[in-house]
């Protein structure tokens, strides 16, 4: 099957979306929509998906970047949630080991802290049991000396020891795009920068499709489906308002931000999950050459399109860092980049942001519109499984088709078909050596790029070979390969798609981004032949994203006044 997922395939994808009535039409291209698309198409359903911005541009690229089992939810007695999420971690990891990594997490105990040694030990033990944690990853309780040997930066005053357990770190945006690519590989039709404008109804007032607008060309067209699913994350309420019927439930958005600091300033190799003086919990997580810290948890009532990290947000996280790691002395000037994200939580009256459940729910409207609300990155596959189990019988009866049961439990996502996580290191070693020998990549960049793209690395090597043969000197060989692969195989349309969501350079390697952003822009301009208006718009968008990452948004807002 020919995979249509190139930036230059848009007209073909749009034509195919108009040629048939799909079993499932999905609005929303974050991890929830991608997971539903993959589950549905792997069962044998025909699938169309539209995303109004870039794939993973909302919550799915702005999380804490953990596929975790929700240890904190035990404090809220959400036992079933912990059991389900904990088991899902291993499934997500095995299906895409190149984008998910086991990470030993330290939970320090301090005199007067939220968690004492006995409470934490019991909690983590219960967590291990509920989550079905394998023996090699079960919790340990460390003494004060053992804690400081693993992380000498942890606050020593009042330290009693720590819990030590495994979480799973991920690249949330790449996880989303790899799930989406697998769905497309199996036959789903998916397109970004395409906005759902209104629903289409049959003569019984049952939703039978959606009218969409290609935001790049202005083209308006209809997509028809037997089932229409709203998986728009923070925008699900806005999408539901396009429908004539909806229930009284709604979302409550909260905002979280994270700061990125170079390891030269914060040379920490051990991830830590710690409580702050006001009782909230914060993660400090090493990632390659950086450490990122967050998150805040505050109610958010503004537009979810591009949430900002403000000075007050930065100050909160910096204060938390210096509270738990007093010898580091982090200040604002040490923050290399940051990001802000919005969580689409289901409203619960009278609860503070950190108290609201992260559970997912499916809402059925009288019109037949199906809405997937709430949920977590970790649970994306299970959420899709439960939803498709629920609707497949009725859909089968309506269409006369026979659908398979869930197929995604052992289905590798794009780039993840290496025969299981146990083969990852040998795969990376082999392909990194090939990149070094054939193209002169450094060991560091070779390992980083191979891990980022997994088994799709051979396709990147074709572009690296092209770069080598043509003697191109405007971009480094590896960056040229990444860029061309992302455009031709990952639907990259503008520089922010590539520099933020496909590679993460804007967040985790700001010096590299600043060095090469103009060359990336020029290469994309050469390929896409942008007009002056488009070129100016994309340049402003890129500059704004860099500013928002490098300093609190209200700083440069005040400067422009």
């Amino acid at each position: 099957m020919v995979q249509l997922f190139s930036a230059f395939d848009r007209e073909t994808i749009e034509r195919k979306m108009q040629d048939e009535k799909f079993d499932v039409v999905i609005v929303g291209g974050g991890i929830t929509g991608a997971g539903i698309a993959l589950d549905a198409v792997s069962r044998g359903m025909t699938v169309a998906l539209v995303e109004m911005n870039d794939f993973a541009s909302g919550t799915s690229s702005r999380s804490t970047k953990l596929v975790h089992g929700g240890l904190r939810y035990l404090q809220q007695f959400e036992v079933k949630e912990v059991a389900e999420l904990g088991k899902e971690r291993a499934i997500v990891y095995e299906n895409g080991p190149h984008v998910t990594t086991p990470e030993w997490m330290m939970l320090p105990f301090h005199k007067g802290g939220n968690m004492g040694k006995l409470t934490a030990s019991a909690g983590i033990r219960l967590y291990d049991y509920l989550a079905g944690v394998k023996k090699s990853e079960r919790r340990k309780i460390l003494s004060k000396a053992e804690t400081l040997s693993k992380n000498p930066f942890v606050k020593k005053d009042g330290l009693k020891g720590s819990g030590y357990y495994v979480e799973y770190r991920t690249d949330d945006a790449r996880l989303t795009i790899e799930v989406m690519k697998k769905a497309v590989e199996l036959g789903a039709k998916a397109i970004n920068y395409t906005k759902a404008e209104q629903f289409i109804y049959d003569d019984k007032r049952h939703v039978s499709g959606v009218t969409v607008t290609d935001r790049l060309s202005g083209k308006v067209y209809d997509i028809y489906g037997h089932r229409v699913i709203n998986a728009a994350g923070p925008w699900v309420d806005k999408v539901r308002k396009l429908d004539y019927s909806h229930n009284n439930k709604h979302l409550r958005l909260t905002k979280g931000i994270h700061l990125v600091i170079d390891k030269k300033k914060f040379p920490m190799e051990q991830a830590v999950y710690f409580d702050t003086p006001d009782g909230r919990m914060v993660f400090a997580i090493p990632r390659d050459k950086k450490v990122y810290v967050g998150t805040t948890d505050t109610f958010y009532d503004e537009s979810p399109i591009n949430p900002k990290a403000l000075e007050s947000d930065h100050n909160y996280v910096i204060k938390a860092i210096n509270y738990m790691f007093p010898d580091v002395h982090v200040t604002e000037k040490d923050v290399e980049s940051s990001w802000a994200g919005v969580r689409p939580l289901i409203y619960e009256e009278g609860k503070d942001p950190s108290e609201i459940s992260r559970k997912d729910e499916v809402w059925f409207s009288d019109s037949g519109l199906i809405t997937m609300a709430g949920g977590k990155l970790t649970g994306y596959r299970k959420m899709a499984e439960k939803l498709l189990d629920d609707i497949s019988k009725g859909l089968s009866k309506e269409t006369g088709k026979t659908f398979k049961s869930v197929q995604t439990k052992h289905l590798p996502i794009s780039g993840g078909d290496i025969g299981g996580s146990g083969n990852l290191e040998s795969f990376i070693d082999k392909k990194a050596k090939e990149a070094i020998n054939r193209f002169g990549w450094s060991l560091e960049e070779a390992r980083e790029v191979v891990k980022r793209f997994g088994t799709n690395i051979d396709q990147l090597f074709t572009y690296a070979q092209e770069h080598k043969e043509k003697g191109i000197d405007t971009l480094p060989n590896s960056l040229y390969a990444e860029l061309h692969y992302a455009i031709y195989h990952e639907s990259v349309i503008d520089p922010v798609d590539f520099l933020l969501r496909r590679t993460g350079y804007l967040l985790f390697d700001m010096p590299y981004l600043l060095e090469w952003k103009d060359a990336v822009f020029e290469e994309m301009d050469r390929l896409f032949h942008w007009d002056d208006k488009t070129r100016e718009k994309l340049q402003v968008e890129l500059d704004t994203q860099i500013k928002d990452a490098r300093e609190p948004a209200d700083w440069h807002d005040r400067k422009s006044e």
Side-chain angles (χ1 to χ4, degrees):
M1 182 177 294
V2 177
Q3 180 174 326
L4 295 173
F5 209 51
S6 164
F8 298 108
D9 288 332
R10 293 182 68 84
E11 288 187 11
T12 303
I13 296 169
E14 289 174 346
R15 188 170 63 250
K16 288 182 176 294
M17 283 185 161
Q18 297 171 77
D19 284 348
E20 64 178 295
K21 184 172 184 177
F22 293 88
D23 296 319
V24 174
V25 175
I26 302 163
V27 177
I31 190 61
T32 302
I36 295 169
L38 179 56
D39 189 297
V41 74
S42 64
R43 292 179 191 238
M45 298 176 187
T46 54
V47 176
L49 180 148
V50 295
E51 162 58 44
M52 71 172 180
N53 295 306
D54 184 29
F55 300 115
S57 58
T59 303
S60 298
S61 60
R62 300 168 182 268
S63 72
T64 305
K65 306 184 188 301
L66 288 175
V67 175
H68 64 104
L71 175 63
R72 62 181 290 236
Y73 305 140
L74 282 179
Q75 294 174 287
Q76 300 167 353
F77 303 105
E78 295 186 31
V79 174
K80 184 180 178 182
E81 189 85 354
V82 172
E84 189 169 278
L85 289 176
K87 291 180 174 68
E88 278 299 300
R89 296 183 314 169
I91 297 172
V92 173
Y93 175 45
E94 288 300 328
N95 287 344
H98 64 305
V99 290
T100 305
T101 305
E103 184 87 50
W104 279 96
M105 191 73 62
M106 178 181 287
L107 179 64
F109 316 138
H110 285 88
K111 185 177 181 180
N114 287 343
M115 281 196 182
K117 187 173 182 179
L118 290 177
T119 304
S121 178
I124 298 173
R125 185 188 291 272
L126 177 59
Y127 176 74
D128 283 350
Y129 170 74
L130 292 171
V133 174
K134 56 188 177 184
K135 193 172 183 179
S136 62
E137 296 183 355
R138 288 177 189 165
R139 69 96 179 92
K140 305 168 186 174
I141 300 299
L142 305 180
S143 67
K144 177 179 178 178
E146 289 171 325
T147 298
L148 292 174
S149 71
K150 290 186 179 295
N151 194 324
F153 302 101
V154 170
K155 183 176 68 168
K156 300 172 182 64
D157 186 26
L159 179 65
K160 294 183 172 182
S162 62
Y164 201 52
Y165 68 104
V166 170
E167 291 285 22
Y168 288 70
R169 177 168 54 82
T170 192
D171 184 326
D172 48 5
R174 286 223 56 85
L175 174 63
T176 301
I177 202 71
E178 299 290 34
V179 173
M180 193 77 75
K181 282 159 60 184
K182 187 64 175 182
V184 169
E185 178 188 321
L186 296 180
K189 310 296 184 295
I191 193 167
N192 53 1
Y193 295 100
T194 300
K195 185 179 180 182
E197 301 285 3
Q198 63 184 38
F199 292 115
I200 303 166
Y201 301 93
D202 61 20
D203 53 9
K204 296 179 181 177
R205 299 191 76 201
H206 190 277
V207 65
S208 60
V210 61
T211 299
V212 302
T213 299
D214 182 330
R215 296 179 59 222
L216 304 182
S217 69
K219 180 180 179 181
V220 179
Y221 58 98
D222 296 335
I223 305 172
Y224 288 91
H226 293 280
R227 296 290 183 274
V228 178
I229 300 172
N230 171 13
W235 291 270
V236 296
D237 284 344
K238 290 184 180 296
V239 172
R240 289 167 72 221
K241 287 179 181 178
L242 301 176
D243 187 27
Y244 69 81
S245 69
H246 55 269
N247 60 28
N248 292 324
K249 293 196 173 187
H250 62 90
L251 297 181
R252 188 64 168 106
L253 304 183
T254 69
K255 185 181 81 171
I257 76 114
H258 297 77
L259 305 184
V260 180
I261 301 158
D262 195 281
K263 282 184 181 174
K264 291 175 183 176
K265 173 62 183 178
F266 194 179
M268 188 177 81
E269 299 297 339
Q270 171 60 60
V272 180
Y273 184 36
F274 63 96
D275 54 348
T276 61
D278 65 1
R280 300 184 201 177
M281 299 296 292
V282 171
F283 288 98
I285 303 171
R287 171 170 160 162
D288 301 324
K289 296 173 285 188
K290 315 296 175 183
V291 175
Y292 67 96
V293 187
T295 179
T296 56
D297 209 357
T298 54
F299 285 131
Y300 186 76
D301 297 313
E302 300 174 44
S303 169
I305 287 180
N306 191 22
K308 312 281 190 181
L310 305 178
E311 182 178 12
S312 58
D313 299 321
H314 278 231
N315 289 342
Y316 178 88
V317 176
I318 290 170
K319 184 178 178 181
I321 294 169
N322 290 324
Y323 166 75
M324 183 52 62
F325 310 103
D327 295 334
V328 176
H329 306 297
V330 166
T331 66
E332 179 62 48
K333 67 180 177 60
D334 300 312
V335 177
E336 189 171 287
S337 60
S338 68
W339 72 88
V342 175
R343 306 177 191 88
L345 308 180
I346 298 168
Y347 175 75
E348 295 180 75
E349 188 173 354
K351 289 197 173 184
D352 291 332
S354 59
E355 294 176 327
I356 298 177
S357 172
R358 271 58 175 170
K359 66 184 177 182
D360 56 274
E361 290 185 6
V362 178
W363 302 335
F364 293 91
S365 298
D366 292 341
S367 66
L369 177 66
I370 302 166
T371 296
M372 175 62 83
K376 288 180 58 59
L377 178 72
T378 309
Y380 85 87
R381 190 205 67 84
K382 194 66 177 180
M383 288 160 59
E385 177 185 330
K386 289 188 289 188
L387 172 61
L388 272 298
D389 281 349
D390 198 24
I391 69 172
S392 62
K393 189 174 182 180
L395 187 58
S396 180
K397 186 176 181 181
E398 185 175 319
T399 62
K401 298 179 182 178
T402 300
F403 302 120
K404 300 174 186 175
S405 59
V406 64
Q407 302 291 302
T408 56
K409 192 169 184 179
H410 302 291
L411 180 65
I413 60 177
S414 182
D417 195 6
I418 58 173
S421 61
N423 295 321
L424 180 63
E425 277 304 311
S426 60
F427 173 81
I428 292 174
D429 287 343
K430 177 183 176 183
K431 289 299 179 180
K433 287 176 184 175
E434 184 178 347
I436 293 166
N437 294 332
R438 290 179 62 187
F439 311 117
W441 296 7
S442 70
L443 177 60
E444 182 181 333
E445 72 180 322
R447 289 187 61 83
E448 181 180 315
V449 175
V450 171
K451 190 172 191 309
R452 180 176 296 136
F453 294 94
T455 51
N456 292 315
I457 191 64
D458 286 337
Q459 290 178 298
L460 274 82
F461 285 168
T462 63
Y463 296 112
Q465 184 65 30
E466 175 182 280
H467 178 278
K468 181 179 178 180
E469 291 175 356
K470 291 183 177 179
I472 296 167
D473 59 5
T474 53
L475 284 168
N477 184 279
S478 63
L479 187 58
Y480 179 94
E482 287 185 286
L483 177 60
H484 280 248
Y485 176 80
I487 291 170
Y488 288 100
H489 301 271
E490 295 187 339
S491 292
V492 157
I493 297 294
D494 72 36
V496 174
D497 297 343
F498 175 68
L499 293 169
L500 176 58
R501 288 176 285 274
R502 301 303 185 276
T503 61
Y505 289 132
L506 198 149
L507 297 182
F508 293 104
D509 202 341
M510 185 62 73
Y512 187 75
L513 175 132
L514 294 175
E515 181 179 3
W516 293 107
K517 66 181 178 64
D518 292 338
V520 167
F521 195 98
E522 289 166 10
E523 178 65 9
M524 293 187 72
D525 190 7
R526 184 184 73 81
L527 293 170
F528 286 104
H529 307 292
W530 294 323
D531 57 33
D532 290 343
K533 184 178 179 181
T534 300
R535 191 180 300 111
E536 181 180 359
K537 172 180 172 289
L538 295 178
Q539 186 67 68
V540 169
E541 179 190 351
L542 177 58
D543 291 345
T544 300
Q545 289 282 355
I546 293 172
K547 283 181 182 178
D548 286 347
R550 297 185 76 188
E551 62 183 28
D554 41 353
W555 277 17
H556 53 261
D557 287 347
R558 285 199 294 266
K559 291 175 187 175
S560 64
E561 290 177 356

